[in-house]
Amino acid sequence: MRYLLATLAAVLGLKTFWFFRWGFWHDHEVPDFAAFHLVAQRVWLGDLDLTYLAAFMKMQAGLSGSSTGFMPWTYPPQFDLLLAPFAFLPTWAAYFLFTATTLAVYLTTLRMIAGQHFAQVLVILFPAMALTIGCGQNGFLTGALIGLVCIGVQSRKMFAGLALGAMVIKPHLAVAAGGICWRPAAGQRSPPPRRSRS
């Protein structure tokens, strides 16, 4: 388990150094966090609405020299507000803070769920976690929120509701998680109806 966690930390460190040395737009390797950081800047510039239009692709083209693929922006405004503080950091520092924080929360939640099987779960999920670190996606954040919903749905319903509400950043996943939580818990089935005597 320690080796796997150390390897994840090494991947994060190497990726941060890559962005510190070359930036997001170098050599056609554009992570998802490049779009995150660009949106964070537009919040403070007052033209956030442009990120939902074709102009957002032109912004990316201006930074990359038109040499990379472009990502349309489809996240709801609540996620834009979450990203806004990262605009005040250099790209590499913003990437490191976002990814390291969400990874730590995700691992903590995963350990609460997996218990004594945490090491085995780490082995299974390691490729997906390494890929998420590489692209700077928000999978750790959404995974942690859904995990907290699962943890709290039985005994801490308010806690689970807050975590589910925070999933507004990816509402399609929130709908799926909410649908599962709405179903009656296993073992709590209602008794069969009594038959009337004729």
Side-chain angles (χ1 to χ4, degrees):
M1 182 178 66
R2 292 177 181 175
Y3 288 134
L4 289 172
L5 293 176
T7 303
L8 287 174
V11 172
L12 176 60
L14 290 173
K15 205 67 182 183
T16 302
F17 175 77
W18 173 274
F19 295 139
F20 172 76
R21 179 66 177 84
W22 288 288
F24 284 151
W25 309 95
H26 176 76
D27 195 25
H28 302 272
E29 187 177 340
V30 182
D32 290 359
F33 193 80
F36 292 0
H37 196 253
L38 183 57
V39 168
Q41 294 172 336
R42 307 323 294 189
V43 171
W44 300 104
L45 291 173
D47 56 0
L48 180 63
D49 58 309
L50 297 180
T51 61
Y52 293 94
L53 305 173
F56 186 58
M57 297 185 182
K58 295 180 180 179
M59 295 176 192
Q60 296 176 72
L63 291 173
S64 64
S66 301
S67 62
T68 63
F70 309 121
M71 291 173 264
W73 190 251
T74 59
Y75 286 95
Q78 292 88 342
F79 188 58
D80 304 339
L81 294 177
L82 176 67
L83 295 175
F86 294 100
F88 297 101
L89 296 174
T91 53
W92 64 271
Y95 160 82
F96 176 80
L97 180 61
F98 178 83
T99 307
T101 302
T102 55
L103 174 61
V105 175
Y106 176 78
L107 290 174
T108 302
T109 306
L110 190 64
R111 182 154 195 167
M112 293 171 64
I113 295 173
Q116 61 181 353
H117 304 292
F118 182 57
Q120 293 91 326
V121 173
L122 274 183
V123 172
I124 296 171
L125 295 180
F126 182 85
M129 288 190 289
L131 182 62
T132 303
I133 291 174
C135 65
Q137 246 291 353
N138 58 14
F140 293 136
L141 176 59
T142 55
L145 288 174
I146 291 178
L148 292 174
V149 172
C150 295
I151 292 171
V153 71
Q154 293 292 335
S155 57
R156 301 178 181 178
K157 296 187 182 298
M158 182 178 293
F159 178 77
L162 291 174
L164 184 61
M167 276 297 297
V168 71
I169 62 175
K170 274 200 172 180
H172 57 290
L173 297 181
V175 169
I180 294 174
C181 294
W182 178 79
R183 296 175 58 189
Q188 296 182 356
R189 300 175 182 174
S190 57
R194 295 180 180 180
R195 297 180 179 178
S196 59
R197 296 180 180 178
S198 57

